[in-house]
């Protein structure tokens, strides 16, 4: 039986050491992402892992902007992930600024036509945030 996302698209099972529940990729912009479809669940899992280990706060100042407060020690990892994501999904804009002692803002913005993608990422951040 195929697991379905809330939008009716198939969910993809997690692979590797963090195998577990299906990763819902229904929000991924398949028409604008050049990352091969089979790699998309792995990229989502990388974001989930970053959120689960480094995320301190989530803000949504505007519909097309997401601010994530992350642990400063994970900034190199977040920058590398952001760079790879920008390569396959050129509509994302990422920025990093100090947020206070031991923290960094990871700002993510998208054009209005891609707000749904940012909604999905924001939901994953809130869902996978520690605590």
């Amino acid at each position: 039986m195929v697991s379905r996302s809330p939008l009716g698209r198939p969910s993809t099972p997690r692979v590797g050491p963090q195998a577990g529940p299906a990763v819902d990729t229904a929000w991924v912009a398949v028409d604008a992402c050049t990352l091969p479809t089979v790699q998309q669940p792995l990229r989502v899992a990388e974001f989930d892992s970053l959120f689960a280990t480094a995320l301190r706060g989530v803000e949504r100042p505007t519909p097309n902007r997401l601010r994530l407060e992350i642990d400063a020690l994970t900034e190199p990892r977040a920058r590398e992930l952001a760079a790879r994501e920008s390569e396959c999904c050129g509509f994302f804009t990422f920025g990093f600024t100090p947020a206070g002692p031991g923290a960094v803002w990871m700002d993510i913005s998208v054009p209005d036509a891609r707000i749904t993608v940012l909604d999905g990422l924001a939901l994953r951040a809130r869902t996978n945030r520690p605590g």
Side-chain angles (χ1 to χ4, degrees):
M1 182 170 155
V2 175
S3 174
R4 298 248 172 224
S5 73
L7 298 178
R9 291 187 39 197
S11 294
T12 305
R14 289 185 186 208
V15 294
Q18 296 177 330
V23 175
D24 179 10
T25 57
W27 55 272
V28 175
V30 295
D31 64 328
C33 182
T34 61
L35 188 67
T37 304
V38 297
Q39 293 180 13
Q40 290 175 5
L42 300 175
R43 180 66 54 83
V44 172
E46 287 184 81
F47 275 101
D48 287 350
S49 175
L50 177 69
F51 300 152
T53 58
L55 191 60
R56 293 181 176 186
V58 178
E59 294 182 7
R60 191 74 182 264
T62 64
N64 64 341
R65 185 165 166 236
L66 178 65
R67 292 196 94 197
L68 305 175
E69 184 180 8
I70 60 171
D71 186 292
L73 296 175
T74 62
E75 182 180 356
R77 176 177 155 209
R79 282 182 178 273
E80 190 270 335
L81 181 57
R84 287 188 292 122
E85 188 63 17
S86 292
E87 288 175 10
C88 65
C89 296
F91 57 86
F92 276 116
T93 301
F94 292 91
F96 294 85
T97 55
V104 173
W105 287 115
M106 179 179 183
D107 289 300
I108 307 168
S109 58
V110 298
D112 290 344
R114 298 294 176 202
I115 288 174
T116 313
V117 177
L118 197 59
D119 291 343
L121 193 60
L123 178 62
R124 295 204 75 82
R126 288 185 185 99
T127 302
N128 290 290
R129 182 178 172 193

